[in-house]
Amino acid sequence: MNKIWIVGLAAMMGACASDANWIAIQETDEFTDIKKCTVTVGSAQLGFSPFLITYSGHFYPFIRTVKNDITVGVRSGGKIRLPVGEVQLRIDGNKAWRITTAETPLEFAPRIQLGSTKEFVKSLPPESQKLLAGMNEANQNVVSRMLSPYTSATGDKANNILREMLGGRKLIYR
């Protein structure tokens, strides 16, 4: 998939959706120079600018490409971004897609630090310390994804959703 597909999707979905205009936003990370292209909607758009108005408590679908990797999902809007949780997407009359928080890439999740167990861990044998450290990392990842203002799919699933969106006319989500 490339940027042309994403921009084409923005134009197509903008023409098909009566209550939302899809726009493409290209960003370049100022430290890594990695380019990201995101196609999304908001509750309103400021003229023809790439600035969307979004509201807290509202959720918005998005598609993002980074280094030819596609991510499709739903994001929270507004200044106070709420956790999204599990998502369902449905394009036209097709079967609904279910996207869970466990699928969400950690890059979208806020990094959560759970309580420190350093004093307790020091009293354990080295192999137990290593096991506990791994469990702590896994728990932090689960909690981070659950509290993420994004829920999204990647890989084949994201490509299949995108393919369906390109051929579709109406997207609903919850």
Side-chain angles (χ1 to χ4, degrees), residues 30-164:
E30 55 194 25
F31 291 97
T32 63
D33 295 329
I34 294 174
K35 293 183 179 172
K36 299 176 186 178
C37 183
T38 304
V39 176
T40 190
V41 297
S43 293
Q45 185 177 350
L46 296 174
F48 292 103
S49 73
F51 299 105
L52 291 175
I53 297 171
T54 62
Y55 299 112
S56 295
H58 291 230
F59 300 100
Y60 305 93
F62 75 95
I63 300 115
R64 177 175 285 168
T65 60
V66 179
K67 296 182 180 177
N68 293 328
D69 291 329
I70 302 283
T71 303
V72 176
V74 174
R75 65 186 178 86
S76 178
K79 289 184 179 182
I80 301 171
R81 295 186 184 254
L82 303 174
V84 174
E86 186 173 303
V87 169
Q88 285 183 306
L89 299 172
R90 188 171 186 202
I91 297 104
D92 298 335
N94 299 317
K95 183 180 171 192
W97 292 93
R98 179 176 168 243
I99 305 173
T100 66
T101 57
E103 297 173 74
T104 302
L106 280 172
E107 76 175 80
F108 289 118
R111 196 67 191 140
I112 303 300
Q113 292 293 354
L114 300 178
S116 176
T117 57
K118 288 181 184 176
E119 293 304 315
F120 170 70
V121 171
K122 287 179 185 176
S123 66
L124 297 175
E127 54 278 350
S128 295
Q129 289 180 19
K130 186 176 178 181
L131 178 65
L132 191 60
M135 289 171 46
N136 191 32
E137 178 73 18
N139 287 337
Q140 286 179 350
N141 291 345
V142 168
V143 172
S144 293
R145 284 181 171 113
M146 287 173 47
L147 296 177
S148 176
Y150 295 86
T151 297
S152 59
T154 59
D156 289 340
K157 185 173 186 176
N159 286 320
N160 290 332
I161 295 170
L162 179 58
R163 203 170 289 115
E164 208 171 277

